[in-house]
Amino acid sequence: MPPSDPAETPVPHLDEPCWERLGRLPVVPDDEPLVPMSLAPEPVRVFPAYARLGIPGAVPECFVRESVHRRLLSVARGLPPGLGLVVLDGWRPWRVQQYLFDTLFEVMRARHPTCDEETLLACTREFVAMPSRDPLAPSPHLTGGAVDVTLCDADGLMLDMGSQFDEASAASHSDHLERLDAPDARQRRARGYRRVLYHAMRGAGFSNLPSEWWHYDFGNQLWAHYGGHPQAHYGPAQLDTIEERWKRQLGDG
């Protein structure tokens, strides 16, 4: 393979974010709308993972900001032949964020009964951001700028990326497979897929959360942090409702 082949270019190591410092990055809100990814043409596929799992409050669609939608299309169209992009989650209601955080926290507490509250919170935040509707420090998925993605083959079957989506283990760290001394054939193959996904997403302007190979950001505070941008563009977002539309149409909104 040529040196420029993304499957041969390692995923770099990045430090975990300091969430307190992250929340101090300014947010200059953009009114860009949320749009459904299900309207995107192939090779994008949409599989709203949390709705399929029956998580309370999850919506059966993957909504993202308009710029995120266009960038994901660009990523999908630029993938090597035979590969497609699967969108697993985008905008996430606050209720779902709270459910995920509380559920993982309780699992962590059951597994590590001697750990104090601060340690358990840190372990939980490694994989699920603290639920927040604060316009100055919203949860990444609440902004519509965070998206969870993976790769699939030409038949739409999701590829083995070395860990499951939302697996709360070190194997989910983006560079985990880069740090193995003697990866086996399966791990080498998964490492190549992670590299392809990482470099395709980075090339479209996204940043990656180091603890999750599937999580990418554009326009929010995580993106500003890892991209060295002075400010974020996306604050908390809400889906448009028929009630809000009627209010606007009647001049009450």
Side-chain angles (χ1 to χ4, degrees):
M1 293 183 180
S4 59
D5 189 328
E8 294 296 310
T9 306
V11 173
H13 173 76
L14 295 173
D15 292 331
E16 290 299 305
C18 171
W19 291 97
E20 288 72 23
R21 190 179 310 135
L22 194 87
R24 293 195 291 270
L25 284 168
V27 179
V28 180
D30 190 313
D31 62 357
E32 199 172 284
L34 292 170
V35 295
M37 281 304 306
S38 63
L39 293 180
E42 288 192 5
V44 172
R45 291 175 170 84
V46 179
F47 185 83
Y50 295 128
R52 300 296 176 90
L53 288 170
I55 289 178
V59 293
E61 174 62 270
C62 292
F63 290 95
V64 295
R65 299 281 188 153
E66 187 175 302
S67 290
V68 174
H69 177 103
R70 296 187 188 280
R71 288 170 186 273
L72 289 173
L73 272 177
S74 174
V75 169
R77 289 166 176 160
L79 289 172
L83 295 183
L85 188 71
V86 182
V87 180
L88 300 166
D89 193 35
W91 175 81
R92 186 182 296 167
W94 181 85
R95 178 187 176 192
V96 174
Q97 190 71 29
Q98 186 72 62
Y99 177 91
L100 294 173
F101 191 90
D102 291 346
T103 301
L104 182 55
F105 182 85
E106 292 305 321
V107 170
M108 291 288 186
R109 174 152 46 196
R111 173 161 292 195
H112 307 288
T114 61
C115 286
D116 58 31
E117 195 90 353
E118 185 177 350
T119 301
L120 291 173
L121 282 172
C123 291
T124 303
R125 292 183 76 170
E126 184 178 356
F127 298 104
V128 181
M130 188 78 77
S132 173
R133 288 179 283 195
D134 183 349
L136 300 180
S139 303
H141 276 281
L142 188 62
T143 69
V147 63
D148 296 332
V149 292
T150 189
L151 297 176
C152 68
D153 64 17
D155 295 325
L157 297 175
M158 285 185 266
L159 300 175
D160 179 3
M161 304 292 285
S163 80
Q164 293 185 345
F165 166 61
D166 258 359
E167 181 175 319
S169 76
S172 293
H173 293 183
S174 299
D175 69 340
H176 173 76
L177 298 174
E178 306 291 351
R179 294 182 279 108
L180 299 181
D181 292 330
D184 59 26
R186 172 182 170 270
Q187 290 167 330
R188 290 195 300 272
R189 186 165 55 251
R191 184 181 63 187
Y193 291 144
R194 285 195 192 190
R195 290 173 175 180
V196 168
L197 179 63
Y198 177 86
H199 293 296
M201 294 293 286
R202 289 288 294 125
F206 291 92
S207 65
N208 173 243
L209 180 62
S211 58
E212 299 177 352
W213 58 259
W214 57 83
H215 180 112
Y216 288 86
D217 297 277
F218 180 80
N220 59 20
Q221 286 171 314
L222 271 174
W223 167 83
H225 170 73
Y226 283 111
H229 305 289
Q231 62 193 32
H233 304 308
Y234 301 149
Q238 290 295 329
L239 290 180
D240 200 11
T241 65
I242 191 63
E243 180 182 7
E244 291 301 318
R245 290 184 186 181
W246 284 336
K247 285 181 179 180
R248 288 196 303 271
Q249 292 162 4
L250 295 172
D252 297 327

